Amino acid sequence: MKCQILRFFNACSDKFNPLYDNCVRRILVMDLGCAPEDLSPEDRPSYIRSLVDLSQERSVCALGGLLSFLDKSLARLTLGAYECNILAVKYLSLDNILWMDTDTLMNLQIFAPKDHPSSFKWSWNRSKEGFSIFGLFNQCASKLGTRRMRTLMSQPTKDRYVIESRLEVIKFCLESRHAPVVKNIRENISHVQCVSKILTHLKNGLATVNHWLLLHKVHSI
């Protein structure tokens, strides 16, 4: 995936490069779930142009390469033509992210990795979380949730609106009257697995019955 996007980047030195033009055409015909229901096919390009700045060549090529990758991957999974439906297009801004180096994260005890005490489970690229803020707050019901929480704590936001919205969610979950709802959500989230790993096993012919059961559970959520 990374190599494919890099090829798109390198090919975009010329504004009239055919790869860039192909990316523009692919973007203008993408199926957007956030588009108005009464949007006609003739007005779709204008609507997409209002969401995507087509003058940014590298971004256009990256988005076009991503759409092409999704089309080919989904076509292999569905064994036929498949049009990728995009729910929404949003810009990712790095201005509101507070960047901290590893030493700061360790000194504040946000993370405290340490070697596993068992010699059988020790690995040079794996560690066990010690006494830290992350360890205290980590009550996630799935591995993907734990991974996401680690990302949020290693890249905290400076956006007041985002912080307040997260506090509202925490307040909702801590209220006793919402306990049944939170319990139901946790039970469903616990079945969420990393689909990419399951698909890798399926692609390599190494899938077991458990992999198929996990894929079925994820699909039925």
Side-chain angles (χ1 to χ4, degrees), residues 47-207:
Y47 177 76
I48 295 178
R49 288 178 185 274
S50 67
L51 301 176
V52 181
D53 186 2
L54 298 181
S55 64
Q56 302 295 326
E57 298 182 11
R58 291 181 179 268
S59 298
V60 168
C61 290
L63 179 56
L66 179 59
L67 292 174
S68 176
F69 174 80
L70 291 175
D71 290 339
K72 294 179 180 179
S73 300
L74 293 174
R76 287 196 297 267
L77 291 175
T78 57
L79 301 179
Y82 185 87
E83 184 177 0
C84 181
N85 181 267
I86 308 299
L87 296 180
V89 176
K90 296 182 180 180
Y91 281 94
L92 176 62
S93 176
L94 302 180
D95 296 335
N96 293 323
I97 295 180
L98 178 63
W99 297 99
M100 293 190 294
D101 56 17
T102 304
D103 293 336
T104 303
L105 294 173
M106 299 303 173
N107 292 333
L108 294 177
Q109 282 193 291
I110 298 177
F111 301 107
K114 63 179 182 179
D115 294 336
H116 201 284
S118 175
S119 58
F120 295 99
K121 296 183 179 180
W122 180 89
S123 177
W124 66 272
N125 61 347
R126 297 180 61 184
S127 60
K128 182 180 179 182
E129 188 66 31
F131 183 75
S132 63
I133 297 177
F134 173 76
L136 292 175
F137 286 2
N138 183 20
Q139 301 294 329
C140 299
S142 66
K143 293 182 179 180
L144 294 178
T146 301
R147 189 183 307 172
R148 176 59 178 168
M149 185 175 181
R150 180 179 291 275
T151 301
L152 293 177
M153 297 190 73
S154 60
Q155 301 173 2
T157 180
K158 297 185 292 184
D159 191 338
R160 179 178 177 181
Y161 173 78
V162 175
I163 296 175
E164 291 178 349
S165 62
R166 292 175 181 174
L167 290 176
E168 289 295 329
V169 174
I170 296 174
K171 181 179 178 181
F172 175 88
C173 295
L174 292 179
E175 292 184 2
S176 58
R177 58 175 178 169
H178 298 147
V181 178
V182 175
K183 182 180 179 181
N184 187 27
I185 294 175
R186 287 181 59 87
E187 289 177 354
N188 285 278
I189 290 179
S190 62
H191 298 300
V192 176
Q193 302 290 332
C194 184
V195 180
S196 59
K197 292 184 178 180
I198 300 176
L199 294 179
T200 301
H201 284 85
L202 295 176
K203 181 180 179 181
N204 297 331
L206 302 175

